[in-house]
């Protein structure tokens, strides 16, 4: 058998194996990602420096790709009314900030984790 004939036999074997693999392989199903990228930030005080930090953070999130971070939960202790007011003000000013008390966030995350289906 000549070298050229051996080369064509190898090419034929590769082509047949690719055809068999293509016929018997299942297509990969694209699944939609149910998880949304988010972050949680605990706010424990209402100092001007805290508000300035949140404003700076908001400016960074505003130009960021929404695939990286879609929302940020500003979490405050239930007993701290000043931190609550700051978080609610920031959530009114910026659509990606969402104000939650610690108890509300815990209840919301518990409900979401129960609904989460891992496959």
């Amino acid at each position: 058998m000549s070298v050229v004939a051996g080369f064509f036999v190898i090419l034929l074997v590769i082509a047949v194996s690719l055809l068999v693999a293509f016929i018997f392989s299942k297509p990969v199903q694209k699944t939609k990602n149910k998880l949304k990228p988010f972050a949680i930030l605990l706010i424990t005080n209402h100092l001007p420096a805290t508000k300035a930090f949140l404003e700076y953070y908001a400016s960074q999130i505003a130009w960021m790709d929404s695939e990286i971070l879609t929302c940020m939960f500003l979490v405050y202790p239930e007993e701290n009314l000043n931190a609550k007011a700051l978080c609610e003000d920031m959530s009114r000013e910026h659509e990606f900030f969402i104000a939650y008390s610690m108890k509300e966030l815990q209840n919301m995350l518990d409900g979401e984790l129960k609904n989460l289906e891992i496959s």
Side-chain angles (χ1 to χ4, degrees), residues 31-110:
T31 59
K32 189 172 183 180
N33 187 0
K34 295 180 181 180
L35 300 176
K36 300 291 181 190
F38 68 94
I40 299 173
L41 186 62
L42 179 62
I43 306 298
T44 57
N45 60 44
H46 62 286
L47 300 173
T50 305
K51 182 170 175 127
F53 171 76
L54 290 173
E55 290 290 344
Y56 173 75
Y57 210 73
S59 69
Q60 296 297 314
I61 295 172
W63 64 265
M64 189 184 307
D65 184 11
S66 64
E67 297 280 327
I68 298 171
L69 183 66
T70 57
C71 66
M72 174 167 282
F73 299 121
L74 300 178
V75 182
Y76 55 88
E78 287 83 5
E79 65 275 358
N80 192 336
L81 298 178
N82 292 326
K84 176 182 179 181
L86 175 63
C87 292
E88 289 175 349
D89 287 344
M90 294 303 292
S91 68
R92 278 191 291 272
E93 290 177 25
H94 305 284
E95 64 184 30
F96 41 81
F97 283 147
I98 302 172
Y100 277 113
S101 70
M102 287 186 186
K103 193 166 288 204
E104 290 171 335
L105 183 67
Q106 181 67 41
N107 292 338
M108 190 266 303
L109 290 176
D110 286 343

Side-chain angles (χ1 to χ4, degrees), residues 17-29:
S17 62
L18 287 174
L19 182 64
V20 168
F22 180 74
I23 290 172
F24 291 110
S25 66
K26 294 180 181 178
V28 177
Q29 294 178 346

